């Protein structure tokens, strides 16, 4: 059994450890993952999770899904983050995309229910193909091009890195409409002619996340699979909803990863019986995660209840996303002296969690723009995700 699997099994048998009882408080989900199979590839581990009912969690019950709320899906993501960080970070994009689709249907009551029903019936995974080579400070823009046709669009471009590259059934992608300032958000079957998986993601972490590049060469996208078109710089209800879902699920996922790292630190100290100054360092890391978890759940519940809406919800979501990166660094600063050299040892669970958690800094929106967005909202200025704007 691998170190990660052994650690997950040990935690499952000791769920009432004081530090876990405190960190787990407030997170409630009907779906929990089992430990990853020994020696299973990243793609196989993701397929195992899909077969366990994960894919349909956010889909409304009337369409064959579990009807999980935003906070319930976030709780599932956190549980997965503790058990299998690479898979959790990859699958977070599926949960975000399907959750956003479900929210879109609730607001519009349109034909998008057919897509949700199809995902629930088939257990299809949806990859999010937004990132492009070289990155972009403005996550709402795209260099991929969509040329209008009689039945939809013909899309060309490169999406990299893209998790679930081989395991996804559908790809959710963005592309700029040729000759306009508009961007489309559309679903595309991964088996579409002209869409290929190319290139390996040479990352230190997330090595089992099924991440690679997607290359689109004149891929035909049916207009019925386009569920949003509009100017890239316009902030509408879809952008706001998407940012809320993304920030809450992302924060919950890394809360699980960091909870797992903190669990390693607590067990190491308890096993050695050497406390002293280590107790305060562990306490500091724990309160950081308690505050992050509370903020994550609160935002999810307040948005779903309508207590926070519109641009206020957008500002709160962007603020949560930036706080997540800050919290990760503060937690690592506290636990590093406690865990010591095991954080850097090959084959050590703590080392794997360290490098997986680094990915938190690479998710959009750019950290350069997060505080500016919050400040712009609070001073009554126009919000922009373009740092040059």
């Amino acid at each position: 059994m691998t170190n990660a699997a052994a650690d997950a099994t040990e935690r499952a048998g000791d769920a009432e450890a004081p530090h876990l009882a405190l960190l787990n408080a407030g997170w409630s989900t009907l779906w929990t993952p089992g430990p990853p199979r020994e020696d299973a590839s990243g793609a196989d581990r993701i397929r195992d999770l899909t077969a366990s009912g994960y894919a349909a969690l956010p889909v409304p019950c009337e369409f064959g899904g579990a009807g999980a709320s935003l906070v319930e899906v976030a709780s599932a993501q956190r549980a997965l983050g503790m058990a299998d960080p690479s898979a959790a970070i990859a699958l977070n994009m599926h949960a975000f995309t399907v959750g956003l689709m479900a929210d879109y249907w609730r607001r519009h009551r349109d034909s998008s229910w057919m897509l949700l029903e199809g995902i629930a019936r088939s257990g299809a995974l949806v990859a999010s193909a937004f990132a492009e080579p070289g990155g972009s400070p403005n996550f709402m823009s795209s260099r991929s091009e969509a040329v209008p046709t009689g039945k939809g669009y013909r899309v060309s471009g490169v999406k990299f890195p893209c998790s679930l590259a081989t395991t996804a059934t559908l790809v959710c992608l963005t592309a700029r409409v040729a000759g306009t300032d508009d961007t489309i958000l559309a679903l595309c079957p991964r088996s579409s002619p002209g869409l290929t998986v190319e290139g390996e993601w040479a990352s230190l972490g997330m090595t089992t996340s099924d991440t690679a590049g997607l290359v689109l060469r004149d891929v035909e996208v049916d207009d019925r699979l386009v569920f949003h078109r509009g100017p890239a710089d316009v902030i509408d209800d879809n952008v706001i909803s998407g940012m809320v879902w993304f920030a809450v699920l992302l924060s919950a996922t890394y809360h699980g990863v960091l909870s797992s790292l903190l669990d390693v630190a607590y067990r190491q100290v308890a096993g050695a019986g050497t406390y002293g100054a280590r107790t305060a360092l562990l306490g500091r890391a724990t309160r950081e995660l308690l505050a992050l978890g509370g903020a994550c759940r609160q935002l999810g519940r307040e948005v779903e209840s309508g207590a926070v809406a519109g641009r206020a919800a957008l500002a709160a979501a962007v603020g949560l996303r930036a706080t997540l990166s800050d919290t990760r660094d503060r937690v690592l600063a506290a636990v590093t002296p406690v865990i010591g050299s095991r954080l850097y040892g090959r084959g050590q669970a703590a080392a794997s969690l360290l490098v997986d958690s680094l990915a938190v800094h690479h998710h959009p929106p750019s950290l350069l723009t997060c505080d500016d967005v919050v400040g712009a909202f609070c001073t009554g200025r126009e919000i922009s995700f373009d740092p040059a704007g």
Side-chain angles (χ1 to χ4, degrees):
M1 182 178 288
T2 63
N3 285 342
D7 289 344
T9 301
E10 183 179 359
R11 284 195 299 270
D14 190 19
E16 295 305 315
H19 62 278
L20 287 179
L22 185 58
L23 290 170
N24 292 343
W27 300 99
S28 178
T29 174
L30 297 177
W31 180 90
T32 54
R37 287 188 290 130
E38 184 179 1
D39 299 327
S41 69
D44 285 341
R45 286 156 64 177
I46 288 169
R47 292 187 184 98
D48 289 345
L49 291 164
T50 305
S52 70
Y54 168 90
L57 281 177
V59 177
C61 295
E62 55 262 54
F63 306 133
S69 68
L70 172 53
V71 175
E72 288 170 337
V73 177
S75 295
Q77 277 296 128
R78 179 185 177 271
L80 183 53
M82 291 192 70
D84 195 341
S86 286
I89 296 169
L91 286 166
N92 182 74
M93 300 310 294
H94 166 89
F96 152 70
T97 304
V98 179
L100 178 58
M101 290 171 60
D103 182 77
Y104 183 90
W105 176 81
R106 291 188 184 97
R107 285 186 285 111
H108 296 276
R109 301 287 170 164
D110 62 354
S111 60
S112 62
W113 67 268
M114 292 185 288
L115 298 174
L116 293 166
E117 186 176 66
I119 290 170
R121 284 184 173 179
S122 63
L125 286 179
V126 183
S128 292
F130 300 156
E132 295 176 327
S136 172
N138 183 359
F139 76 99
M140 295 176 67
S141 65
S142 176
R143 288 190 291 272
S144 298
E145 185 178 64
V147 178
T149 66
K151 297 181 179 180
Y153 299 88
R154 189 169 57 250
V155 180
S156 297
V158 178
K159 300 294 185 176
F160 183 85
C162 179
S163 295
L164 309 180
T166 68
T167 46
T169 302
L170 297 167
V171 175
C172 182
L173 58 85
T174 56
R176 176 181 50 81
V177 180
T180 76
D181 293 327
D182 286 0
T183 295
I184 61 167
L185 186 62
L187 290 177
C188 174
R190 195 185 59 80
S191 59
S192 298
L195 195 160
T196 58
V197 178
E198 300 179 14
E200 181 183 6
W201 192 40
S203 171
L204 291 174
M206 291 179 63
T207 55
T208 55
S209 60
D210 188 26
T211 298
L214 293 183
V215 180
L216 299 95
R217 299 179 178 91
D218 293 328
V219 176
E220 299 289 343
V221 176
D222 193 301
D223 193 53
R224 291 171 294 181
L225 297 181
V226 177
F227 58 97
H228 178 66
R229 172 175 170 166
D233 293 329
V234 172
I235 296 172
D236 56 19
D237 288 345
N238 295 310
V239 172
I240 294 169
S241 176
M243 182 53 64
V244 169
W245 271 84
F246 183 69
V248 171
L249 296 184
L250 190 73
S251 298
T253 299
Y254 283 99
H255 192 283
V257 177
L258 294 171
S259 293
S260 191
L261 178 61
L262 192 50
D263 180 54
V264 171
Y266 271 110
R267 292 181 184 280
Q268 182 175 316
V269 169
T274 54
Y275 295 92
R278 294 174 176 82
T279 303
L281 289 170
L282 292 174
R284 182 188 307 170
T286 302
R287 66 176 172 80
E288 290 284 357
L289 285 186
L290 287 174
L292 176 67
C296 177
R297 297 190 302 271
Q298 179 181 356
L299 177 60
R301 289 177 180 136
E302 290 184 347
V303 168
E304 291 204 316
S305 71
V308 178
R311 278 166 165 69
L314 179 67
V318 172
L320 177 63
R321 185 268 169 274
T323 297
L324 170 61
S325 280
D326 290 343
T327 300
R328 182 266 172 197
D329 288 347
R330 290 194 294 265
V331 169
L332 261 295
V335 302
T336 295
V338 177
I339 298 177
S341 62
R342 294 186 184 184
L343 268 175
Y344 311 105
R346 181 178 298 170
Q348 295 289 335
S352 296
L353 291 164
L354 167 67
V355 293
D356 279 340
S357 71
L358 277 170
V360 72
H361 298 312
H362 300 290
H363 297 286
S366 166
L367 294 175
L368 292 172
T369 66
C370 287
D371 288 343
D372 189 68
V373 167
V374 177
F377 170 77
C378 293
T379 55
R381 293 169 46 234
E382 192 66 29
I383 291 175
S384 172
F385 287 101
D386 187 351

